[in-house]
Amino acid sequence: MKNPRVPLAAVIGWPISHSKSPRIHGHWLSKHGIAGHYIAMGIEPAAFKDTMQQLPKLGFVGANVTIPHKEATLELAAEVTPRAKQIGAANTVVFLPEGGFRADNTDGIGFINNLRQKAPDWDASAGPALVLGAGGASRAVLWSLLDAGVPQILLANRTRERAESLKQEFGNKISVIEWSEISEATKSAALIVNTTSLGMTGQPPLEITLHSKAGTLVTDLVYTPMTTELLRQAQDKGLQTVDGLGMLLHQAVPGFEAWFGTRPEVDETMRALVLE
Ligand code: ATR
C-alpha cells in the first residue's frame, strides 16, 4: 500500500525565519498539484538528533538542513552520498523506509545546473576556472567543477592556508594562487567564480580587474544585489555572466524530486518569487 499520509518536508535551521525554501517548494507543490506541505522549522542544536528521529514517524519524507545543522547531519546519517562526503556538509535529507536518513549535498549540482541552464554554451573542458574564496560555498563549487571536468582550478583566498587545505582534499587539479594575483589570473581563466561574501550588500567590495579574453564566463554566488560589481564589470567588458540566484533554485530540485516524486523545472517566474 502507498503511504496513506500527506507527504511533509521541512527546512530545519536555527534560526530559520530568513529561509526562501518554503516559497520554492510551495510553488512547485501547487504547480504540480501535489497534496504535500513544506514548512520552515526552527530547531535548536540540542534538539536536532531527536527531531530527526521523530520526523519520519509524523509523515515527513525528508528535509533540507541549514546552519547550524549541516555538519551534524553528516554524523547522524545512515547513508551519506559521495558528494556530501567530499563537500563535507549536507543540505538535503531523505528519510529511508528502513529507518534513519540519507544525507546529500545539492549545492554543487545546483551551481553547475544553473550555469548549464543560463550559459548552455559553457564548456567545462575549455580551460581553467578561477575560484575566489575557500569557505563552505567554495567546497561545493570545487566539487561541481571537478565533477564537470574542468581541467584546472586556480584557487585564491584571503587566508591562503584555507585554500591550501582545500588543495590537499580536492587534489592536484587545484593550484593555489595569492589573493593579490586574482586580477592577473583572470587572463587565463575560462570561468571566474566568486564564492566569497565580497560585493554583497553591506560587505566590502570585491577588488578585481578583469583582463579576460572573449568567451570567458563570469559568475557570482552573491545575489544581493543581483548584478554585483563583478558582474557589471564583466558585462561592460562584453563577457558572459550568470547571477547567483539560480543556484538557490537549482539546489532545491533534487530534494523535491526525491521527496515528492516529480522533477520540477526552474523557470523565470521562480526568480521573482524568491525576490519578493
Ligand atoms: P561560505 O560558507 O558562504 O563560503 P565562509 O565559510 O564564512 O562562508 O567563507 C567566506 C569566504 O569569504 C572565505 O573565503 C573568506 O575568506 P577567509 O577564508 O580569508 O576568511 C571570504 N571573505 C570574507 N570576507 C572577506 C574579505 N573582507 N576579504 C577577502 N575575503 C573575504
Side-chain angles (χ1 to χ4, degrees), residues 236-257:
D236 288 347
K237 290 179 171 156
L239 305 173
Q240 196 182 0
T241 61
V242 173
D243 69 57
L245 186 63
M247 176 177 174
L248 176 72
L249 301 171
H250 280 273
Q251 63 77 30
V253 170
F256 188 93
E257 185 177 18

Side-chain angles (χ1 to χ4, degrees), residues 106-127:
T106 63
D107 285 333
I109 200 74
F111 169 76
I112 214 83
N113 285 344
N114 183 43
L115 272 197
R116 294 209 187 284
Q117 186 181 53
K118 293 278 174 186
D121 295 338
W122 176 68
D123 172 11
S125 66

Side-chain angles (χ1 to χ4, degrees), residues 29 57 110 139 150 154 214 217 222 274:
L29 285 168
K57 299 177 193 162
R139 297 180 68 97
V150 165
L154 306 172
L217 177 60
V222 172
V274 295

